[in-house]
Amino acid sequence: MTRRPARLVALVLALAVMAGSGGARPPSPAEYALAAGDLQTARQLAQDQLQINPKDAAALSVLAAVNLAHGQPKAARQNASRAFAAGSSKHERFVAARLAAKAAHGQGQSLVAQYWLRRAVQDAPTAQAEAVAITDFQSLRRVTRLQLSFDATFRPSENVNNGAQDPMLSIDGIPTHFIFTPSSRALPGAETRLGFGLRYRLSGTERHGTDLGLRLTHSAIVLNDRARRIAPMARGSDFSTSTADVQLSHYGALSENTVLRGGVQLGQSWLAGQHYANRAKLDASLTQRLSPATLTRLGLAVERQWRTGTVPAATALMIDSATEHRLASGDVIGLRLIAGKTVSYDANQENKSLTSELRYSVGKPLAGVQLSGALGLGLRDYPVFFGGAFGNSGRHDRTASASVDLSLTRLNAFGFEPVFSLETRRTRSNISRYDGTDLGLGIRIRSSF
């Protein structure tokens, strides 16, 4: 997003040519004058046209461009907003939205500029114009100090509370005659998850800098009639969760293809509206582009968690590695491996884990649907379970998972598109409490760029 007059003139000239070739209308005299760099004549011709028609979108856009060239972003934004409201074609609204974005950026209002660029994407008259607006948005986002993000997910499931599918506890296939309470049984229903993120760049540039971030999430559970028959006293709010995290991170480009990032994070979580735990986390990651098509990442994290009550604290160490490769077809294949270990004075919390995930994304949409899928396998071993009250075999979980994401690109609005996800998970455990299958169909909204 630049404010140089030459770029503005080139922009309007390119759009005028696009309009002529697209059959919308030929460039106006004011647009020709602007493209030739004659700002005074362009302003006069545009004002003359507005005397005839005060809602002439092309004339208002020319005035906005002249305002920008003269360093008058406030007046430019006003004229661009009027041009957008008066625009009778996608071309006119697209031009006006991009000018409004440039004007807002010139006023130092980067979030408003991003809003106008999303409007430009929505009203892009051609695929080429849409790509130009998306590139503008991405360039602006890289240099903007303040970034906001929002996500929402709705997911029906047969086990929204992660409960036990077998009403009786069995260890290594042997019944213990311990009966689970109704509310700790697997309950069907739906989960709605909302997330909000904020990132502010305290100092630095795109290559080196320090960020301060805030992340808030809330998961609300609704039980269906079948769940209420299983556990009449249970309420969806009994299983709701919330988290709040503050993070300070520093990043730096070691070379053109290598970036090192490290940070510290403090967080708090709630269960059923009650304070559940506090946590502190240190992490570092190294990202390297091995080739134009291959990207790798290696991360290390240490997290300390303190639960409420008398439960001892736990410390978790995690090593995370990932590789992503873009094929000649445009498809992307990725592999991720995560190894972790948790230690605590509470033997029931101590465990070792290993998780792998293979992901594949189809590069080109098929019939307006962007397709991706993943296969996962996870192993987790606890040397002790229930303090050894049910034996000394410990707990051993084996989890296989699969998911398919369908992004409906044809329903894209302002750069946001719905994504349908089908997820299945099967856990085999020697402790029946953790043995079971979950199948869920979810929908979420995500930004496409």
Side-chain angles (χ1 to χ4, degrees):
M1 295 292 293
T2 178
R3 288 174 281 179
R4 295 176 54 194
R7 287 291 304 275
L8 291 171
V9 171
L11 164 68
V12 176
L13 174 61
L15 292 172
V17 171
M18 262 195 330
S21 63
R25 59 169 177 80
S28 69
E31 289 171 326
Y32 271 124
L34 181 65
D38 190 347
L39 301 182
Q40 183 174 353
T41 300
R43 183 199 296 271
Q44 187 59 55
L45 290 172
Q47 290 175 337
D48 291 345
Q49 184 60 32
L50 289 173
Q51 291 292 325
I52 301 173
N53 178 12
K55 294 186 177 182
D56 189 302
L60 288 167
S61 289
V62 169
L63 284 184
V66 172
N67 293 145
L68 281 172
H70 287 155
Q72 302 168 332
K74 182 178 179 180
R77 187 171 158 189
Q78 291 174 343
N79 283 320
S81 298
R82 291 173 58 197
F84 185 87
S88 59
S89 68
K90 282 193 169 186
H91 166 77
E92 291 178 337
R93 292 191 296 273
F94 176 77
V95 172
R98 286 197 71 202
L99 290 171
K102 288 180 178 291
H105 182 57
Q107 291 180 290
Q109 300 180 13
S110 297
L111 292 179
V112 176
Q114 291 182 33
Y115 160 79
W116 277 110
L117 286 174
R118 288 192 179 274
R119 299 295 298 264
V121 171
Q122 182 68 11
D123 283 300
T126 65
Q128 179 186 4
E130 180 180 354
V132 168
I134 291 176
T135 300
D136 274 355
F137 184 94
Q138 293 171 335
S139 299
L140 177 61
R141 184 169 53 190
R142 284 194 293 268
V143 300
T144 297
R145 286 185 175 272
L146 179 64
Q147 292 288 342
L148 301 178
S149 61
F150 175 80
D151 57 84
T153 303
F154 177 76
R155 180 179 178 270
S157 171
E158 290 298 304
N159 191 357
V160 293
N161 63 328
N162 196 28
Q165 293 189 328
D166 191 334
M168 179 182 294
L169 177 65
S170 297
I171 309 294
D172 296 320
I174 302 174
T176 65
H177 304 291
F178 178 89
I179 304 299
F180 293 110
T181 62
S183 61
S184 60
R185 294 277 308 280
L187 301 178
E191 175 189 16
T192 300
R193 180 179 292 272
L194 302 176
F196 171 77
L198 178 150
R199 191 212 71 186
Y200 184 76
R201 181 169 296 162
L202 297 175
S203 63
T205 64
E206 182 184 347
R207 290 180 59 82
H208 301 272
T210 302
D211 291 344
L212 179 65
L214 171 68
R215 177 70 179 173
L216 304 173
T217 66
H218 179 70
S219 177
I221 302 296
V222 176
L223 303 177
N224 62 22
D225 291 339
R226 185 155 58 89
R228 285 188 282 271
R229 289 194 296 269
I230 297 172
M233 303 301 294
R235 299 292 181 268
S237 58
D238 297 337
F239 312 104
S240 66
T241 59
S242 301
T243 64
D245 293 280
V246 178
Q247 183 178 37
L248 182 67
S249 62
H250 183 77
Y251 59 92
L254 304 181
S255 67
E256 183 178 353
N257 296 317
T258 306
V259 176
L260 178 65
R261 178 181 293 271
V264 57
Q265 179 177 306
L266 300 176
Q268 187 167 317
S269 58
W270 293 263
L271 175 62
Q274 302 296 317
H275 181 206
Y276 179 71
N278 297 322
R279 58 185 174 274
K281 181 178 180 181
L282 294 173
D283 66 272
S285 65
L286 183 69
T287 302
Q288 186 169 20
R289 184 166 292 282
L290 302 179
S291 71
T294 305
L295 186 71
T296 65
R297 178 185 177 277
L298 179 64
L300 176 67
V302 179
E303 181 175 320
R304 182 75 166 173
Q305 185 177 95
W306 300 267
R307 293 188 189 178
T308 56
T310 60
V311 179
T315 301
L317 174 66
M318 183 179 70
I319 299 176
D320 184 353
S321 64
T323 300
E324 183 179 280
H325 180 73
R326 184 176 297 275
L327 305 176
S329 62
D331 296 359
V332 177
I333 185 170
L335 176 64
R336 185 180 184 187
L337 297 173
I338 305 173
K341 181 177 182 179
T342 300
V343 295
S344 173
Y345 286 116
D346 177 14
N348 290 309
Q349 295 191 65
E350 292 201 348
N351 69 85
K352 296 179 181 179
S353 65
L354 180 64
T355 304
S356 62
E357 182 185 64
L358 178 65
R359 176 167 289 275
Y360 194 92
S361 300
V362 179
K364 296 181 179 180
L366 305 174
V369 176
Q370 191 78 44
L371 179 65
S372 64
L375 296 174
L377 179 64
L379 311 174
R380 187 178 295 270
D381 289 316
Y382 294 77
V384 175
F385 178 73
F386 271 12
F390 293 99
N392 297 318
S393 62
R395 171 184 158 196
H396 314 288
D397 297 348
R398 306 292 182 266
T399 301
S401 63
S403 65
V404 176
D405 289 347
L406 305 175
S407 304
L408 306 186
T409 58
R410 289 183 179 177
L411 298 183
N412 188 301
F414 303 102
F416 295 97
E417 60 191 22
V419 181
F420 286 91
S421 299
L422 178 62
E423 304 170 352
T424 181
R425 183 181 302 272
R426 179 72 173 99
T427 299
R428 293 285 189 180
S429 176
N430 65 316
I431 309 296
S432 64
R433 165 65 178 82
Y434 305 98
D435 193 287
T437 301
D438 184 33
L439 177 65
L441 175 65
I443 180 173
R444 67 182 188 273
I445 305 297
R446 75 175 182 188
S447 177
S448 57
F449 49 81

